[in-house]
Amino acid sequence: MLKNLLNILACVSACAFAFGFMACSDDNTAGVTEDGNPIAYGESSSSVYGESSSSVVSSSSAIESSSAVQSSSSVEAVPKFDLWNGKTDNKINTYNENTGYWFSFSDDYYSRITWPVEMGNEYTADFLDPVFEYCEGVCGTVELHGSETMPWAGIGFTLAEEGSTVDISAWGGICVTYASEYPVSVYLNVDVGGIDTISNVSPFMAYPMITLPKTVTNAPTLKNMLGSDVAITRCAKWSDFKTSSWAEYNKAKLSKIYSGEEAAKEVKAINFVFMGNSDGSGEFNILGISTYDENLPQWNRDGGTNERDLGLVTTNDDSLTCLWKGLDGSGIVNTGYNDRDEFVGMLYDFDVSPEGAYSKIEFPAYREMEYEPYMYEPIIVECKGFCGTMEFTLENADYAASGVGFNIAEDTLTSCEGNTCYGEAKFADIKDWGGICITYYSEKDAYLNVVVKNVPYENSPKASLPASGALVEKCFTWNDLAPNDPNMGSAVSTVQFIVKSSEDGDRNQFNIAGIGKYSANGACSIPKTSYTPISSSSRTPRSSSSSKVYKDECSFKNLSPVWYGPDGYLGVKTGYSTATSEGGHWYAFKDNDEVNMTYPVLANSELGQDSLQPVLNYCQGLCVTHKGAGNAGFGFNIADKDGNGKLQAKSLKYWGGMCVVYASEYDLHIAINDAEQNDFANVSKLPGVTLPQTDGYAKIECKSWNEFVDSETRAPIDPSKISSILFYDYAKNNASSSFNILGIAPYQELDGTSYLKCQEPAYLK
């Protein structure tokens, strides 16, 4: 029986296999002959996992158009598991005792797969046997560490012996039964030469691939709105596997670019890769692998999954009115002028904040690295639209604003900064559109802004887009936008979706799913699902009383922590640090040599800045017992030191303060340093706050920056100038003192209780 994906134990032995691992013998020897030809299969006698699709119904009360949605029908077929059944098989049925074994791999930035049970020797063939037994599949936790590129980790299985390939074309394709909190990119590992053999960034980017959708919902993407939170099966033909735009762009550096059908004839392995756009973690379980079956739910190139299964099939023909919809996977709006410039109609994000404020958008997938017409396609594919979370920062302005837009005609390129280029959009005649329709979701009120000729930008025609709890479509005629302009639409350069906020640290989730010409019945036939997301306000640093956290449960992650001990990482997300940098990295300190610091497990000095990792793994946080008159504890610098070895003071104003989960036998102190060096001998003289001792259970305390004060002057600190943060306590009268720091999050107000009903911290056991 499928174990609940979210109940996977947090145990932790993460090891990686090399791609060319040579395994020992195994009795499962069906699937591929030694010369690469498949043998005949029968229905597996093992129990299998079926599924049924639930229908999705449009919420007519939430929309102004009347797009109908057909209910999907139940799928009666079940997967064969003729290649691998996680309940019974320890290797893929390749008919070769030296192949068919699973391996794991990851980037060079400390991303990894951790397993739910204690593991054996990583260099033996039965290394993953405990995982198969526990998961009835291959399951684990993907732990991603952000870097300058998209972090990733993955698993795979070998099909050919080292230095050779096999032909699996007669499989017809592949069916995967799985559950995952991340999308799963499936690659056919082939010999393309060039980049893939030397790249430590994305060595699989030149392989033909498909992407299977995540099955656990949490973000306001259309795919997640319609997705399932249970194990699903998706099938793809070899012809569905395509090479990326990146590979096409770099084809001169590769020995060959394979189609899916070609790759299936010369394949070495199949890789399953989990990617993210920042630090994070998520569970997965792959339960079975089957040869292609047209009767099972199909992967769809445009949507990453079968549209009918998700209720995406509509009866409306919108080809005359819909100019763009995210379901198609493209980031280009069909403006009618697309033949003039490859960038025409490209959706892009921008910051339209006044001086003294800024905004940015946190996307659920990485943009392509170069400024190209398809740079936003990974976002479109993930969102089934253009989606993300807008973040607003106010310093010396009344508001900040974030937007998404597209240009009607070509640009006149003026300059480039990094990956972003700037140009002056030309005006074009789109009066025959009659107006514009937009299908969107937004937690906050937004507005449509249309840039027209001879009108100052601040006076551009606008239309209100109210906050919505689901995808809605709003349509406006040119007369609605500019009642006194009979020529409205005849000279338009840009159409924009904009959200403003007057609150520092505010956030807004949004998704733009369709854009079209004006139609009284709606322009784009997109399922409008009933969806109430987890509000951004419940995970956002802000100082208003509207932000609450749950009580009577261990729910610290609702605060969107910048560091959480059980995740197993020593780096705090300060906004000025990366996975490999010194900034944000925890270290231990004491104010004199008479203080003795004792950990429940040995710290490992050979790990350098990661010497506290064994302590973190054991304590699920940072714990210590110290004895001797003096102060001792843990701290981190906000950013890397400068070229002269001095600490850099950075702004953490956007945190609003701190929420800390901790347990302590005595009062726990937090000191704020703004100097160029850490003066541990005088840590008690630094401004800060004191957190009260706890009764043995983890406790959460939240303090705004106004509560961090100088002990003598009582003046509050300046949160725009912080170079390090130090947590410490004092062992009174030479007695021993113990504490454990478990998590840190930006400030939010609590809802009346500060206790978390968690297990006792490790140091008290």
Side-chain angles (χ1 to χ4, degrees):
M1 139 181 186
L2 172 64
K3 290 192 168 57
N4 188 321
L5 190 63
L6 299 179
N7 286 335
I8 290 179
L9 298 175
C11 280
V12 71
S13 171
C15 303
F17 278 83
F19 276 101
F21 174 70
M22 297 297 291
C24 301
S25 64
D26 190 281
D27 292 335
N28 298 319
T29 55
V32 181
T33 60
E34 293 184 6
D35 60 2
N37 295 319
I39 64 173
Y41 299 106
E43 289 287 341
S44 172
S45 59
S46 303
S47 60
V48 294
Y49 302 100
E51 68 164 330
S52 62
S53 301
S54 58
S55 59
V56 180
V57 181
S58 294
S59 175
S60 58
S61 62
I63 62 173
E64 294 186 355
S65 62
S66 57
S67 301
V69 180
Q70 293 179 349
S71 297
S72 58
S73 58
S74 296
V75 178
E76 299 297 335
V78 293
K80 299 186 290 287
F81 289 175
D82 49 0
L83 297 177
W84 180 73
N85 184 342
K87 292 186 67 174
T88 59
D89 301 334
N90 289 3
K91 67 183 291 291
I92 305 297
N93 298 328
T94 62
Y95 205 62
N96 183 338
E97 65 180 16
N98 293 324
T99 65
Y101 288 90
W102 290 88
F103 57 86
S104 65
F105 55 97
S106 65
D107 58 30
D108 286 347
Y109 297 95
Y110 304 105
S111 298
R112 61 180 180 172
I113 303 287
T114 60
W115 308 109
V117 289
E118 198 72 33
M119 306 298 295
N121 187 326
E122 65 177 292
Y123 298 107
T124 61
D126 58 359
F127 170 68
L128 283 175
D129 284 3
V131 175
F132 300 141
E133 181 178 354
Y134 176 82
C135 304
E136 297 181 346
V138 55
C139 74
T141 300
V142 181
E143 298 180 354
L144 301 180
H145 272 297
S147 63
E148 295 180 358
T149 61
M150 184 189 306
W152 53 268
I155 58 175
F157 55 80
T158 58
L159 290 170
E161 296 193 42
E162 187 173 8
S164 64
T165 64
V166 294
D167 183 351
I168 58 171
S169 58
W171 291 4
I174 191 172
C175 297
V176 182
T177 300
Y178 71 102
S180 176
E181 290 187 284
Y182 279 109
V184 186
S185 295
V186 185
Y187 291 88
L188 301 180
N189 187 323
V190 289
D191 185 8
V192 298
I195 294 176
D196 80 311
T197 63
I198 60 174
S199 173
N200 61 3
V201 178
S202 298
F204 41 79
M205 287 297 289
Y207 303 156
M209 58 84 71
I210 60 169
T211 298
L212 304 174
K214 68 178 78 171
T215 66
V216 179
T217 62
N218 54 16
T221 67
L222 185 58
K223 187 159 53 179
N224 288 345
M225 290 178 185
L226 302 175
S228 166
D229 60 1
V230 296
I232 64 174
T233 297
R234 292 291 178 263
C235 298
K237 301 186 293 293
W238 296 136
S239 59
D240 292 327
F241 285 74
K242 305 292 184 182
T243 53
S244 65
S245 302
W246 179 91
E248 293 288 347
Y249 184 79
N250 290 279
K251 61 184 178 182
K253 303 175 183 178
L254 304 172
S255 61
K256 181 177 180 179
I257 293 182
Y258 286 80
S259 67
E261 296 98 322
E262 291 171 332
K265 295 178 180 179
E266 300 179 25
V267 68
K268 299 187 295 183
I270 293 181
N271 301 340
F272 300 86
V273 180
F274 308 92
M275 302 181 191
N277 67 331
S278 62
D279 289 4
S281 65
E283 286 80 19
F284 72 92
N285 194 350
I286 298 177
L287 296 145
I289 308 291
S290 309
T291 53
Y292 179 73
D293 188 339
E294 63 181 5
N295 297 313
L296 290 170
Q298 301 295 298
W299 176 87
N300 179 274
R301 177 161 179 76
D302 292 334
T305 189
N306 183 271
E307 293 189 354
R308 184 173 298 278
D309 291 333
L310 293 185
L312 300 183
V313 178
T314 67
T315 57
N316 290 3
D317 179 4
D318 59 12
S319 58
L320 297 179
T321 56
C322 192
L323 303 173
W324 171 84
K325 54 185 173 184
L327 288 171
D328 294 335
S330 167
I332 305 295
V333 179
N334 181 18
T335 66
Y337 294 88
N338 304 84
D339 58 340
R340 299 189 180 186
D341 185 331
E342 60 182 348
F343 290 93
V344 169
M346 183 186 78
L347 288 160
Y348 58 88
D349 69 295
F350 62 96
D351 180 5
V352 68
S353 304
E355 185 176 355
Y358 63 90
S359 69
K360 64 177 182 178
I361 296 178
E362 177 184 312
F363 293 111
Y366 258 93
R367 299 186 309 180
E368 296 287 351
M369 295 301 290
E370 301 177 18
Y371 190 75
E372 298 169 319
Y374 53 80
M375 66 182 298
Y376 289 93
E377 283 188 6
I379 296 164
I380 306 296
V381 171
E382 170 67 13
C383 299
K384 297 299 185 75
F386 196 109
C387 81
T389 302
M390 297 171 170
E391 300 179 350
F392 305 92
T393 301
L394 280 61
E395 295 178 344
N396 299 306
D398 295 331
Y399 73 90
S402 182
V404 175
F406 65 93
N407 299 330
I408 305 300
E410 69 266 35
D411 289 345
T412 301
L413 191 63
T414 57
S415 64
C416 289
E417 296 179 9
N419 292 330
T420 304
C421 295
Y422 303 90
E424 181 179 349
K426 293 187 177 181
F427 295 94
D429 186 353
I430 56 172
K431 191 173 183 179
D432 62 342
W433 289 12
I436 191 166
C437 293
I438 180 170
T439 303
Y440 73 98
Y441 156 77
S442 179
E443 287 185 309
K444 296 185 177 299
D445 290 344
Y447 65 91
L448 196 66
N449 192 68
V450 182
V451 181
V452 298
K453 194 172 185 177
N454 298 326
V455 175
Y457 180 80
E458 59 272 16
N459 297 329
S460 298
K462 296 175 175 60
S464 176
L465 299 173
S468 63
L471 285 173
V472 298
E473 185 172 37
K474 296 289 184 181
C475 293
F476 308 95
T477 66
W478 294 135
N479 188 61
D480 292 333
L481 289 159
N484 300 317
D485 183 2
N487 295 316
M488 177 63 193
S490 61
V492 177
S493 68
T494 309
V495 176
Q496 301 171 333
F497 171 94
I498 297 176
V499 177
K500 284 186 177 181
S501 176
S502 299
E503 187 174 356
D504 187 34
D506 206 2
R507 290 161 67 92
N508 176 61
Q509 293 185 99
F510 75 97
N511 188 4
I512 303 169
I515 295 168
K517 302 175 183 179
Y518 175 80
S519 172
N521 295 320
C524 295
S525 195
I526 299 171
K528 316 300 192 302
T529 62
S530 176
Y531 176 67
T532 304
I534 300 173
S535 171
S536 289
S537 63
S538 68
R539 316 191 283 270
T540 306
R542 53 172 79 193
S543 58
S544 74
S545 60
S546 62
S547 299
K548 303 295 184 181
V549 297
Y550 300 108
K551 66 179 182 178
D552 296 331
E553 60 183 52
C554 191
S555 55
F556 185 64
K557 281 207 167 183
N558 290 294
L559 295 181
S560 189
V562 293
W563 177 75
Y564 188 53
D567 286 342
Y569 301 122
L570 281 170
V572 180
K573 300 176 187 176
T574 65
Y576 308 96
S577 58
T578 66
T580 57
S581 71
E582 179 185 6
H585 220 79
W586 286 100
Y587 49 78
F589 70 90
K590 56 185 180 179
D591 65 0
N592 67 77
D593 292 336
E594 301 301 319
V595 176
N596 180 35
M597 302 179 71
T598 303
Y599 305 110
V601 292
L602 289 177
N604 191 343
S605 60
E606 294 181 359
L607 293 176
Q609 69 174 10
D610 293 325
S611 61
L612 292 173
Q613 191 68 52
V615 178
L616 179 66
N617 293 343
Y618 179 86
C619 300
Q620 298 292 284
L622 290 172
C623 68
V624 67
T625 297
H626 74 274
K627 188 175 183 179
N631 300 300
F634 304 98
F636 59 88
N637 302 332
I638 306 305
D640 288 347
K641 294 178 181 179
D642 66 15
N644 298 316
K646 296 179 179 179
L647 300 181
Q648 300 184 70
K650 300 292 185 178
S651 176
L652 289 182
K653 185 178 178 182
Y654 72 99
W655 281 14
M658 279 193 292
C659 290
V660 182
V661 174
Y662 70 102
S664 181
E665 291 181 323
Y666 292 110
D667 290 348
L668 181 66
H669 307 285
I670 307 178
I672 304 297
N673 177 35
D674 64 0
E676 294 179 341
Q677 300 291 339
N678 280 312
D679 184 4
F680 299 129
N682 293 296
V683 63
S684 61
K685 297 180 180 180
L686 293 174
V689 295
T690 297
L691 307 180
Q693 68 184 66
T694 65
D695 60 0
Y697 285 91
K699 181 179 183 181
I700 182 170
E701 286 279 342
C702 294
K703 301 289 185 181
S704 69
W705 288 135
N706 289 334
E707 297 176 81
F708 288 75
V709 296
D710 186 282
S711 59
E712 295 182 359
T713 67
R714 308 308 298 171
I717 66 166
D718 180 358
S720 66
K721 297 178 180 178
I722 299 178
S723 55
S724 63
I725 298 177
L726 308 172
F727 295 77
Y728 68 95
D729 73 345
Y730 182 80
K732 301 177 182 178
N733 300 321
N734 206 35
S736 64
S737 174
S738 300
F739 70 89
N740 191 355
I741 306 170
L742 297 159
I744 299 173
Y747 176 78
Q748 285 191 29
E749 293 189 4
L750 302 177
D751 66 345
T753 180
S754 60
Y755 283 88
L756 299 177
K757 303 301 182 182
C758 302
Q759 65 180 11
E760 292 181 348
Y763 79 90
L764 293 176
K765 293 181 178 179

